[in-house]
Amino acid sequence: MPETKMEVVESAAEREIVLSRVFDAPRQMVWDAWTDPKQVALWWGPKGFTTTIEEMDVRPGGVWKQVLHGPDGTDYLNESVFLEVVQNERLVYTLTGGRKGGPVVQFEKATTFEEEAGGTRVTMRLIFASAEARDQNVRDYGSIEGAKQAFQRLEDYLAGQFVETTAKA
């Protein structure tokens, strides 16, 4: 069983945030949890948040519209456009969004899925226009801590799915 550990890469370029974690689940299962709107809605976002997927067309040029609902009632509207989709390996998309009435966030996100130690390593690279834009995102939206919490929610979700899948097999 791989160790489920969150890594924040400190040496990333000054306008990037890079997070990586190994999940104790097969790559296909992790990919499906990340690209199937019904599954995404069950774990996406920080602790205490819920997610409404309005549209999720996972293909180059496809649009992903979602609303994160904060525990305090604040809505965070996000719209993404997929630039690259390589089944079970890589997703690249642009994201524009933010808190209703708050500062708009824009960045590119590249997420990779790699088999590792019997599990799947997911690495997210968020690339901002500038170091200032990255710092504002961390300050205004807590993006690093939020991503860590979302990864933990994914881990918990996958653990439940993996038990169900292996029990049925």
Side-chain angles (χ1 to χ4, degrees):
M1 299 270 173
E3 185 178 328
T4 56
K5 179 175 124 182
M6 186 72 195
E7 299 172 25
V8 178
V9 179
E10 300 294 337
S11 61
E14 65 180 25
R15 63 188 190 100
E16 296 181 356
I17 297 170
V18 180
L19 302 116
S20 185
R21 182 169 181 166
V22 177
F23 294 93
D24 185 18
R27 184 162 60 165
Q28 182 68 53
M29 183 179 287
V30 177
W31 174 267
D32 290 345
W34 204 282
T35 59
D36 173 7
K38 290 177 183 164
Q39 293 186 59
V40 172
L42 297 173
W43 66 268
W44 190 261
K47 183 179 177 183
F49 282 68
T50 59
T51 302
T52 301
I53 306 291
E54 296 177 347
E55 178 180 356
M56 190 172 190
D57 183 7
V58 184
R59 64 176 177 81
V63 174
W64 177 15
K65 292 182 183 179
Q66 53 152 306
V67 180
L68 287 169
H69 309 284
D72 65 356
T74 301
D75 286 337
Y76 300 81
L77 301 112
N78 296 289
E79 183 171 325
S80 300
V81 176
F82 289 97
L83 304 174
E84 183 181 348
V85 177
V86 179
Q87 180 78 25
N88 295 326
E89 292 180 18
R90 183 173 169 84
L91 290 171
V92 180
Y93 56 88
T94 59
L95 180 141
T96 303
R99 178 177 50 250
K100 230 178 188 178
V104 174
V105 173
Q106 292 182 312
F107 58 87
E108 182 176 295
K109 182 188 284 187
T111 305
T112 57
F113 304 80
E114 302 170 286
E115 291 180 8
E116 182 176 309
T120 305
R121 176 174 291 280
V122 175
T123 302
M124 288 191 319
R125 181 178 301 273
L126 287 66
I127 306 161
F128 295 86
S130 65
E132 294 77 25
R134 183 208 56 192
D135 293 346
Q136 180 179 2
N137 181 266
V138 171
R139 185 175 54 254
D140 293 345
Y141 291 107
S143 53
I144 293 172
E145 184 57 33
K148 288 179 182 180
Q149 291 176 20
F151 270 24
Q152 184 58 53
R153 290 182 68 191
L154 175 58
E155 176 70 28
D156 296 343
Y157 172 75
L158 290 169
Q161 293 301 100
F162 193 62
V163 167
E164 287 179 27
T165 302
T166 53
K168 291 178 187 175

